[in-house]
Amino acid sequence: MIELIPAIDLIGGQCVRLTQGDYAAKTVYSTDPAQIARQLERQGFRRLHVVDLDGAKSKHIVNAATLKAITSATSLVVDFGGGIKTDADIETAFDNGAAMVTIGSVAVTSPDLFTRWLQKYSPDRIILGADVRNGKVSINGWKEDSGEDLLPFLSRYVEQGVRHVLCTDISRDGMLSGPAAELYSQVMAAYPTLHLIASGGVGSNADIIDLNRRGIPAVVFGKAYYEGKIDIEQLRQLWD
């Protein structure tokens, strides 16, 4: 069954969501992300995806204290991304309780550094972030398009041992219009052993059920959860 991973995105220590990565299109859902994390744990979730949007924009981790508050308040397996650019950043993430980290921009701009981290921390703790706009990988908080095509980008790192990939279709993020299911199916057809995490566009239980039917290993969702578009009890019945 598909792994269900709710998301908490952070700006100024608050739980927010953007629309298509637009920092000007921000909705604040809670001023206490740790309380949201506790609620998610009570509902039966085991994983949590935390994104430091301030960090992604500033190119260094900003919300380390909020990450620590979340990991101290729950036993959730937290993967953390946003602003991890240096050895100090990745150590900060792990020191503040992250079990895994999502690395996107560095994999594009500093492939040797990414490969070193993959070897040092192991492929079980490093998630390759592949945020896509019009088929090209975007970096630095989705502000820049790298020119890298998705599948060759993935191929390079799968050959180096990457096992976990978080792929976000930026055009769908926060739109509740459905995920890029065909894109994820193409990725899985090319790399069937990947633990692919689909992200962006989930707007209903039906979207999650369709991804599961397609054999997508995991899905991240945020806005749909916060706006009551997902029926957690129905999903629990399907998965239990």
Side-chain angles (χ1 to χ4, degrees), residues 61 83-96 113 116-117 121:
I61 291 177
I84 300 175
K85 307 293 187 184
T86 65
D87 289 328
D89 288 323
I90 196 169
E91 287 295 335
T92 294
F94 287 135
D95 288 347
N96 284 279
L113 179 59
R116 178 162 62 80
W117 287 347
Y121 299 105

Side-chain angles (χ1 to χ4, degrees), residues 64-114:
T66 306
L67 169 63
K68 182 65 173 179
I70 290 169
T71 59
S72 297
T74 73
S75 59
L76 293 166
V77 176
V78 174
D79 73 77
F80 178 83
I84 300 175
K85 307 293 187 184
T86 65
D87 289 328
D89 288 323
I90 196 169
E91 287 295 335
T92 294
F94 287 135
D95 288 347
N96 284 279
M100 309 172 78
V101 292
T102 300
I103 309 294
S105 300
V106 165
V108 175
T109 61
S110 304
D112 290 344
L113 179 59
F114 178 84

